Short mmCIF file of all heavy atoms in Angstrom, two decimals:
data_model
loop_
_atom_site.label_atom_id
_atom_site.label_comp_id
_atom_site.label_asym_id
_atom_site.label_seq_id
_atom_site.Cartn_x
_atom_site.Cartn_y
_atom_site.Cartn_z
N ARG A 664 2.66 -15.58 20.78
CA ARG A 664 1.81 -14.49 21.25
C ARG A 664 0.83 -14.06 20.17
O ARG A 664 -0.35 -13.83 20.46
CB ARG A 664 2.65 -13.29 21.70
CG ARG A 664 1.81 -12.12 22.17
CD ARG A 664 2.66 -10.94 22.62
NE ARG A 664 3.40 -11.24 23.82
CZ ARG A 664 4.19 -10.36 24.44
NH1 ARG A 664 4.35 -9.14 23.94
NH2 ARG A 664 4.84 -10.69 25.53
N ALA A 665 1.30 -13.96 18.94
CA ALA A 665 0.43 -13.53 17.85
C ALA A 665 -0.73 -14.51 17.67
O ALA A 665 -1.89 -14.09 17.46
CB ALA A 665 1.23 -13.41 16.56
N VAL A 666 -0.45 -15.81 17.74
CA VAL A 666 -1.50 -16.82 17.59
C VAL A 666 -2.50 -16.73 18.73
O VAL A 666 -3.73 -16.81 18.53
CB VAL A 666 -0.89 -18.24 17.50
CG1 VAL A 666 -1.98 -19.30 17.59
CG2 VAL A 666 -0.10 -18.40 16.21
N TYR A 667 -1.99 -16.55 19.95
CA TYR A 667 -2.89 -16.42 21.10
C TYR A 667 -3.82 -15.22 20.94
O TYR A 667 -5.02 -15.30 21.19
CB TYR A 667 -2.09 -16.30 22.40
CG TYR A 667 -2.99 -16.14 23.61
CD1 TYR A 667 -3.51 -17.25 24.26
CD2 TYR A 667 -3.34 -14.87 24.08
CE1 TYR A 667 -4.38 -17.11 25.35
CE2 TYR A 667 -4.20 -14.72 25.16
CZ TYR A 667 -4.71 -15.84 25.79
OH TYR A 667 -5.57 -15.69 26.86
N ILE A 668 -3.25 -14.13 20.50
CA ILE A 668 -4.05 -12.91 20.32
C ILE A 668 -5.10 -13.13 19.24
O ILE A 668 -6.26 -12.74 19.40
CB ILE A 668 -3.12 -11.73 19.98
CG1 ILE A 668 -2.35 -11.30 21.23
CG2 ILE A 668 -3.90 -10.56 19.39
CD1 ILE A 668 -1.29 -10.25 20.98
N LEU A 669 -4.71 -13.74 18.13
CA LEU A 669 -5.65 -14.01 17.04
C LEU A 669 -6.80 -14.88 17.52
O LEU A 669 -7.97 -14.62 17.20
CB LEU A 669 -4.91 -14.70 15.88
CG LEU A 669 -5.77 -15.19 14.73
CD1 LEU A 669 -6.45 -14.04 14.00
CD2 LEU A 669 -4.92 -16.01 13.74
N GLU A 670 -6.49 -15.90 18.29
CA GLU A 670 -7.50 -16.88 18.68
C GLU A 670 -8.32 -16.47 19.90
O GLU A 670 -9.42 -16.99 20.11
CB GLU A 670 -6.84 -18.24 18.95
CG GLU A 670 -6.21 -18.84 17.69
CD GLU A 670 -5.50 -20.15 17.96
OE1 GLU A 670 -5.34 -20.50 19.17
OE2 GLU A 670 -5.11 -20.84 17.00
N ASN A 671 -7.80 -15.53 20.71
CA ASN A 671 -8.47 -15.19 21.96
C ASN A 671 -8.84 -13.72 22.10
O ASN A 671 -9.97 -13.39 22.44
CB ASN A 671 -7.60 -15.61 23.15
CG ASN A 671 -7.38 -17.11 23.21
OD1 ASN A 671 -8.20 -17.85 23.73
ND2 ASN A 671 -6.24 -17.55 22.68
N VAL A 672 -7.89 -12.84 21.83
CA VAL A 672 -8.15 -11.41 22.02
C VAL A 672 -9.09 -10.87 20.95
O VAL A 672 -10.04 -10.13 21.25
CB VAL A 672 -6.83 -10.61 22.04
CG1 VAL A 672 -7.11 -9.11 22.17
CG2 VAL A 672 -5.94 -11.09 23.19
N VAL A 673 -8.85 -11.23 19.69
CA VAL A 673 -9.69 -10.73 18.60
C VAL A 673 -11.16 -11.13 18.79
O VAL A 673 -12.05 -10.27 18.67
CB VAL A 673 -9.14 -11.19 17.23
CG1 VAL A 673 -10.12 -10.85 16.11
CG2 VAL A 673 -7.79 -10.54 16.96
N PRO A 674 -11.48 -12.39 19.10
CA PRO A 674 -12.89 -12.73 19.36
C PRO A 674 -13.45 -12.01 20.57
O PRO A 674 -14.64 -11.63 20.58
CB PRO A 674 -12.85 -14.25 19.60
CG PRO A 674 -11.60 -14.72 18.94
CD PRO A 674 -10.62 -13.60 19.09
N ALA A 675 -12.63 -11.79 21.59
CA ALA A 675 -13.11 -11.08 22.79
C ALA A 675 -13.42 -9.62 22.46
O ALA A 675 -14.36 -9.04 23.02
CB ALA A 675 -12.06 -11.15 23.90
N MET A 676 -12.67 -9.02 21.56
CA MET A 676 -12.96 -7.66 21.12
C MET A 676 -14.29 -7.60 20.38
O MET A 676 -15.11 -6.69 20.59
CB MET A 676 -11.83 -7.15 20.22
CG MET A 676 -10.53 -6.88 20.95
SD MET A 676 -9.12 -6.61 19.82
CE MET A 676 -9.68 -5.18 18.91
N ALA A 677 -14.52 -8.57 19.52
CA ALA A 677 -15.79 -8.63 18.79
C ALA A 677 -16.96 -8.82 19.75
O ALA A 677 -18.05 -8.24 19.57
CB ALA A 677 -15.75 -9.75 17.77
N ALA A 678 -16.74 -9.64 20.80
CA ALA A 678 -17.80 -9.89 21.78
C ALA A 678 -18.14 -8.63 22.56
O ALA A 678 -19.30 -8.41 22.92
CB ALA A 678 -17.38 -11.01 22.73
N LEU A 679 -17.16 -7.78 22.85
CA LEU A 679 -17.42 -6.53 23.56
C LEU A 679 -18.13 -5.53 22.66
O LEU A 679 -19.03 -4.80 23.10
CB LEU A 679 -16.11 -5.94 24.07
CG LEU A 679 -16.20 -4.56 24.74
CD1 LEU A 679 -17.19 -4.58 25.91
CD2 LEU A 679 -14.83 -4.10 25.21
N ARG A 680 -17.76 -5.50 21.42
CA ARG A 680 -18.38 -4.54 20.51
C ARG A 680 -19.88 -4.79 20.33
O ARG A 680 -20.66 -3.84 20.20
CB ARG A 680 -17.68 -4.58 19.15
CG ARG A 680 -18.31 -3.64 18.14
CD ARG A 680 -17.49 -3.44 16.91
NE ARG A 680 -18.11 -2.41 16.07
CZ ARG A 680 -17.48 -1.71 15.15
NH1 ARG A 680 -16.20 -1.91 14.93
NH2 ARG A 680 -18.13 -0.79 14.45
N GLN A 681 -20.27 -6.04 20.32
CA GLN A 681 -21.66 -6.38 19.99
C GLN A 681 -22.67 -5.69 20.91
O GLN A 681 -23.58 -4.99 20.43
CB GLN A 681 -21.83 -7.90 20.02
CG GLN A 681 -23.18 -8.36 19.54
CD GLN A 681 -23.27 -9.88 19.47
OE1 GLN A 681 -22.42 -10.59 19.98
NE2 GLN A 681 -24.32 -10.39 18.85
N PRO A 682 -22.58 -5.82 22.25
CA PRO A 682 -23.59 -5.14 23.10
C PRO A 682 -23.44 -3.63 23.09
O PRO A 682 -24.44 -2.91 23.22
CB PRO A 682 -23.32 -5.72 24.49
CG PRO A 682 -21.90 -6.18 24.46
CD PRO A 682 -21.67 -6.65 23.06
N VAL A 683 -22.22 -3.13 22.93
CA VAL A 683 -22.02 -1.68 22.91
C VAL A 683 -22.70 -1.05 21.71
O VAL A 683 -23.36 -0.01 21.82
CB VAL A 683 -20.51 -1.35 22.92
CG1 VAL A 683 -20.28 0.14 22.66
CG2 VAL A 683 -19.88 -1.74 24.25
N ASP A 684 -22.58 -1.68 20.53
CA ASP A 684 -23.22 -1.13 19.34
C ASP A 684 -24.75 -1.16 19.47
O ASP A 684 -25.44 -0.26 18.95
CB ASP A 684 -22.79 -1.91 18.10
CG ASP A 684 -21.35 -1.59 17.69
OD1 ASP A 684 -20.72 -0.74 18.35
OD2 ASP A 684 -20.85 -2.20 16.72
N LYS A 685 -25.28 -2.15 20.16
CA LYS A 685 -26.72 -2.18 20.41
C LYS A 685 -27.13 -1.08 21.38
O LYS A 685 -28.19 -0.46 21.22
CB LYS A 685 -27.12 -3.56 20.95
CG LYS A 685 -27.02 -4.68 19.93
CD LYS A 685 -27.42 -6.02 20.54
CE LYS A 685 -27.33 -7.15 19.51
NZ LYS A 685 -27.67 -8.47 20.10
N LEU A 686 -26.30 -0.82 22.36
CA LEU A 686 -26.59 0.26 23.31
C LEU A 686 -26.60 1.61 22.62
O LEU A 686 -27.41 2.49 22.98
CB LEU A 686 -25.54 0.26 24.44
CG LEU A 686 -25.75 -0.76 25.55
CD1 LEU A 686 -24.50 -0.86 26.42
CD2 LEU A 686 -26.97 -0.40 26.41
N GLU A 687 -25.74 1.79 21.65
CA GLU A 687 -25.71 3.07 20.94
C GLU A 687 -27.05 3.37 20.29
O GLU A 687 -27.44 4.55 20.16
CB GLU A 687 -24.61 3.07 19.87
CG GLU A 687 -24.45 4.41 19.16
CD GLU A 687 -23.37 4.42 18.10
OE1 GLU A 687 -22.58 3.45 18.06
OE2 GLU A 687 -23.32 5.38 17.31
N MET A 688 -27.77 2.33 19.89
CA MET A 688 -29.07 2.51 19.25
C MET A 688 -30.18 2.80 20.27
O MET A 688 -31.29 3.20 19.89
CB MET A 688 -29.44 1.26 18.44
CG MET A 688 -28.43 0.93 17.34
SD MET A 688 -28.25 2.27 16.14
CE MET A 688 -29.87 2.28 15.39
N LEU A 689 -29.90 2.62 21.57
CA LEU A 689 -30.91 2.83 22.61
C LEU A 689 -30.69 4.09 23.42
O LEU A 689 -31.64 4.77 23.81
CB LEU A 689 -30.95 1.62 23.55
CG LEU A 689 -31.31 0.26 22.94
CD1 LEU A 689 -31.21 -0.84 23.99
CD2 LEU A 689 -32.70 0.29 22.33
N VAL A 690 -29.43 4.40 23.69
CA VAL A 690 -29.10 5.53 24.57
C VAL A 690 -29.33 6.84 23.82
O VAL A 690 -29.02 6.96 22.62
CB VAL A 690 -27.64 5.42 25.06
CG1 VAL A 690 -27.24 6.67 25.85
CG2 VAL A 690 -27.47 4.17 25.91
N ALA A 691 -29.84 7.83 24.53
CA ALA A 691 -30.07 9.15 23.94
C ALA A 691 -28.78 9.70 23.34
O ALA A 691 -27.71 9.59 23.95
CB ALA A 691 -30.62 10.11 24.99
N LYS A 692 -28.89 10.31 22.16
CA LYS A 692 -27.71 10.76 21.43
C LYS A 692 -26.88 11.75 22.24
O LYS A 692 -25.65 11.70 22.22
CB LYS A 692 -28.11 11.39 20.09
CG LYS A 692 -26.93 11.83 19.24
CD LYS A 692 -27.35 12.28 17.86
CE LYS A 692 -26.18 12.78 17.05
NZ LYS A 692 -25.12 11.77 16.87
N ASP A 693 -27.54 12.64 22.98
CA ASP A 693 -26.78 13.64 23.72
C ASP A 693 -26.05 13.05 24.91
O ASP A 693 -25.23 13.73 25.54
CB ASP A 693 -27.69 14.79 24.16
CG ASP A 693 -28.81 14.33 25.09
OD1 ASP A 693 -29.00 13.11 25.27
OD2 ASP A 693 -29.50 15.20 25.66
N MET A 694 -26.33 11.81 25.23
CA MET A 694 -25.63 11.14 26.32
C MET A 694 -24.57 10.16 25.82
O MET A 694 -23.78 9.65 26.62
CB MET A 694 -26.62 10.41 27.24
CG MET A 694 -27.47 11.32 28.09
SD MET A 694 -28.40 10.38 29.31
CE MET A 694 -29.26 11.70 30.18
N TRP A 695 -24.60 9.85 24.50
CA TRP A 695 -23.61 8.91 23.98
C TRP A 695 -22.26 9.62 23.90
O TRP A 695 -22.18 10.77 23.45
CB TRP A 695 -24.04 8.37 22.62
CG TRP A 695 -23.23 7.17 22.18
CD1 TRP A 695 -22.32 7.12 21.18
CD2 TRP A 695 -23.26 5.87 22.77
NE1 TRP A 695 -21.79 5.86 21.09
CE2 TRP A 695 -22.34 5.06 22.07
CE3 TRP A 695 -23.98 5.31 23.83
CZ2 TRP A 695 -22.12 3.73 22.38
CZ3 TRP A 695 -23.76 3.97 24.15
CH2 TRP A 695 -22.84 3.20 23.42
N PRO A 696 -21.18 9.00 24.33
CA PRO A 696 -19.93 9.73 24.56
C PRO A 696 -19.08 10.04 23.33
O PRO A 696 -18.00 10.62 23.46
CB PRO A 696 -19.16 8.79 25.50
CG PRO A 696 -19.64 7.42 25.14
CD PRO A 696 -21.10 7.60 24.79
N MET A 697 -19.55 9.68 22.14
CA MET A 697 -18.71 9.91 20.96
C MET A 697 -19.59 10.11 19.73
O MET A 697 -20.73 9.65 19.70
CB MET A 697 -17.75 8.74 20.74
CG MET A 697 -18.42 7.41 20.45
SD MET A 697 -17.26 6.03 20.40
CE MET A 697 -17.00 5.74 22.17
N PRO A 698 -19.07 10.80 18.70
CA PRO A 698 -19.82 10.97 17.46
C PRO A 698 -20.15 9.62 16.83
O PRO A 698 -19.36 8.67 16.91
CB PRO A 698 -18.88 11.79 16.57
CG PRO A 698 -17.96 12.48 17.51
CD PRO A 698 -17.78 11.53 18.67
N SER A 699 -21.30 9.55 16.21
CA SER A 699 -21.75 8.30 15.58
C SER A 699 -21.16 8.15 14.19
O SER A 699 -20.54 9.06 13.65
CB SER A 699 -23.28 8.31 15.49
OG SER A 699 -23.69 9.30 14.55
N TYR A 700 -21.40 6.97 13.58
CA TYR A 700 -21.01 6.76 12.18
C TYR A 700 -21.66 7.80 11.27
O TYR A 700 -21.04 8.31 10.35
CB TYR A 700 -21.43 5.35 11.74
CG TYR A 700 -20.39 4.27 11.99
CD1 TYR A 700 -19.38 4.45 12.94
CD2 TYR A 700 -20.42 3.08 11.28
CE1 TYR A 700 -18.45 3.47 13.17
CE2 TYR A 700 -19.49 2.08 11.49
CZ TYR A 700 -18.50 2.28 12.44
OH TYR A 700 -17.57 1.30 12.66
#
Side-chain angles (χ1 to χ4, degrees):
R664 179 180 293 182
V666 170
Y667 179 85
I668 287 173
L669 173 65
E670 295 177 350
N671 297 276
V672 177
V673 171
M676 290 168 60
L679 175 57
R680 178 168 186 158
Q681 187 175 13
V683 171
D684 287 358
K685 290 180 180 178
L686 280 167
E687 184 180 348
M688 301 300 294
L689 299 176
V690 174
K692 183 173 177 58
D693 61 351
M694 288 189 178
W695 193 250
M697 63 187 78
S699 68
Y700 271 21

